[in-house]
Amino acid sequence: MKTGKFWSLKLFLLLVLLVVLAACSGEEGASEEPADTDTSGDTEEAVPQTLVFGRGGDSVSLDPAIVTDGESFKVTENIFETLLNFGEQDTTVNPGLAKEWEVSEDGLTYTFHLQEGVKFHDGTDFNAEAVVKNVERWKGGAEEKFYYFHSMFKSEGEDIIKSVEAVDDYTVVFTLSRPQAPFLKNIAMSPFGIASPTAFESAGDAFGDNPVGTGPFKFVEWKRNDSITVEKNEDYWQEDLPKLDKIIFRSIPDNSARLNALTTGEIDLADGINPSDAATVESNAELQLIERPSMNIGYLGLTTTRKPFDNALVRQAVNYAIDKQAIVDAFFQGRAEVAVNPMPSSISGYNEEIEGYPYDPEKAKELLAEAGYDGEEIELWAMPVPRPYMPDGQKVAEAIQKNLADVGIPSKIVTFEWATYLEKAKNGEADAFLLGWTGDNGDADNFLYTLLDKDTIGSNNYTYYSNEEVHELLISAQSETNEEKRNELYKQAQAIIHEDAPWVPLAHSTPLLAAKKGVTDYFPHPTGSESLINVSIQ
């Protein structure tokens, strides 16, 4: 019995030892298990890289060569690329599709050396021949269609770009008929994005409905007056770019509705924020307020070929009649300055000696009497969409309407859909119209010549203003490479334009945008349109 008890005790101890060892083994296994399992639950989930950009209106076309409106360029800037690029937030000239360039001593020959290995979205090659075909398309197209090219590179029937030649696959030479001081800045502008020759030759007039460029994003879909969708170009020539997978440009005409869409999370980025809503955005911890560098002019155009504005005295009277400071105070909330000249003071060549027309209703009445104005009602056109230079066209028009009534000019406010508004105004059908301009390249030529020279009537000169002396000054300034002399020519032109008064310059604004806090590396450009190549959502 003694021996049996001994073996029973021994067996018992052995069983206890096995249990203890098993427990220890289990503890060791538990401590090692995390190294062998998926720990993704411990990290933040990746944020979808889709940006919804709310804007005030739809694009007119997605062919950059045939449009002049900012809503079109806002999209095309991401589909197409130009030979040269502007700086991230200024108008200094940098490499683009051209990596290097040389200019001849006489200023007549520009040689561009192109990036290699770049393809259009349709898989065809970008090369010197593609550049030649684009320029030939712009040159050979109807002036009323390719207005930007003809307004920038044609004068008095003369082609400033005399020829363009592909020297080899990646070298292209532009030869000018006369020097053009802002040529490099001009060629960097959004309208001169390089398109696929295969695509535009095949599509013809429909190219703007299915655009094909070399840019970081490819066109996907356009729902008119609703949205335009572009997606990441997986074969983009710049490594690790773009950062976004998709951009949806949504048209939301009402400023308040657009801000509400941002607040509720329907969109990620909104332009055209009312200055009066800036404090609301700043007080919301989930949002960020963004200021676009100012380089614009908002104005009331007076069509000089239509009565009563074919009389300079009436145009001067309207300048005296409008309380510009009150408009800036009421509708820009201190985020604008009253305009005097047709370009902002930040542009080289601005004439600071011109004081502008003060608000003087009695002087306006005197001039109207002197002009023999008969009191006939005019049409006052109000913009249907908010623009960077005009947050609320309807309200500004109502303020102007009251100012005009106070001096005896009755007016009827009229508006149209945006594309129609631009087309009819361009055709000279408006009596007085609200419009504006955001500079394309930071040069005085892009304001004075582009908007008020006789050469640009029917394109960007909506008032049909024509003055031979102004024309001679502006043409001389284009070819003058001495900066001091060039600025003096622009100052003289501004003095004459001020006296002729084809516009009532209203304001130079600081446009506002707002975004979710997670939108990073978005830098608004003073030209009003920018590539979203570096933007991401955190």
Side-chain angles (χ1 to χ4, degrees), residues 99-339:
K99 57 186 177 182
E100 297 173 332
W101 60 93
E102 297 106 33
V103 185
S104 63
E105 287 188 15
D106 61 6
L108 295 177
T109 305
Y110 290 76
T111 303
F112 295 95
H113 303 281
L114 308 180
Q115 304 281 0
E116 300 181 22
V118 179
K119 288 188 177 292
F120 290 104
H121 300 154
D122 58 8
T124 58
D125 292 331
F126 163 76
N127 51 31
E129 192 57 41
V131 175
V132 171
K133 287 186 177 181
N134 272 267
V135 178
E136 288 177 345
R137 177 184 182 233
W138 304 332
K139 284 183 69 174
E143 187 170 340
E144 62 271 15
K145 184 176 181 180
F146 294 88
Y147 358 92
Y148 246 121
F149 181 84
H150 288 277
S151 68
M152 304 304 292
F153 298 115
K154 199 164 188 174
S155 177
E156 299 179 308
E158 176 189 25
D159 285 320
I160 294 173
I161 298 178
K162 187 177 179 180
S163 66
V164 57
E165 177 188 1
V167 176
D168 58 40
D169 283 351
Y170 297 105
T171 307
V172 62
V173 176
F174 286 72
T175 302
L176 309 188
S177 57
R178 60 178 172 83
Q180 187 184 61
F183 179 76
L184 292 176
K185 284 191 171 186
N186 288 347
I187 212 72
M189 287 163 41
S190 296
F192 307 122
I194 304 298
S196 162
T198 300
F200 67 65
E201 288 170 358
S202 172
D205 290 342
F207 178 69
D209 297 331
N210 190 16
V212 181
T214 63
F217 296 94
K218 299 167 64 173
F219 173 76
V220 175
E221 181 183 34
W222 187 355
K223 297 177 182 177
R224 302 282 175 169
N225 297 313
D226 178 51
S227 65
I228 294 174
T229 302
V230 297
E231 66 182 5
K232 181 177 184 175
N233 176 9
E234 297 289 355
D235 299 316
Y236 188 55
W237 59 278
Q238 294 193 56
E239 193 174 353
D240 298 327
L241 293 172
K243 297 177 182 178
L244 293 170
D245 294 324
K246 183 186 292 186
I247 306 171
I248 301 170
F249 295 91
R250 274 193 59 194
S251 301
I252 307 175
D254 183 73
N255 288 3
S256 298
R258 198 176 324 111
L259 177 58
N260 185 60
L262 178 66
T263 304
T264 58
E266 293 176 42
I267 63 177
D268 305 296
L269 176 63
D271 72 356
I273 297 297
N274 285 328
S276 58
D277 289 327
T280 300
V281 174
E282 289 177 316
S283 65
N284 188 328
E286 299 301 316
L287 303 179
Q288 54 180 313
L289 186 69
I290 303 169
E291 290 188 345
R292 184 182 296 281
S294 180
M295 192 173 70
N296 61 37
I297 173 75
Y299 65 87
L300 176 70
L302 308 172
T303 307
T304 60
T305 54
R306 297 176 68 90
K307 291 185 179 300
F309 300 122
D310 56 346
N311 187 324
L313 292 176
V314 175
R315 299 196 299 268
Q316 291 173 0
V318 173
N319 270 272
Y320 282 112
I322 295 175
D323 189 347
K324 295 179 279 292
Q325 187 65 59
I327 289 173
V328 166
D329 291 343
F331 306 115
F332 293 86
Q333 301 286 310
R335 294 181 185 266
E337 61 181 44
V338 171

Side-chain angles (χ1 to χ4, degrees), residues 342-361:
M343 65 184 196
S345 58
S346 59
I347 303 294
S348 185
Y350 181 85
N351 192 332
E352 296 179 350
E353 295 181 2
I354 297 174
E355 295 182 357
Y357 291 89
Y359 175 52
D360 190 340

Side-chain angles (χ1 to χ4, degrees), residues 439-460:
D440 294 299
N441 62 13
D443 194 271
D445 179 75
N446 184 242
F447 283 87
L448 302 181
Y449 178 80
T450 299
L451 303 177
L452 290 163
D453 189 78
K454 70 174 189 176
D455 283 349
T456 61
I457 289 174
S459 58
N460 291 311

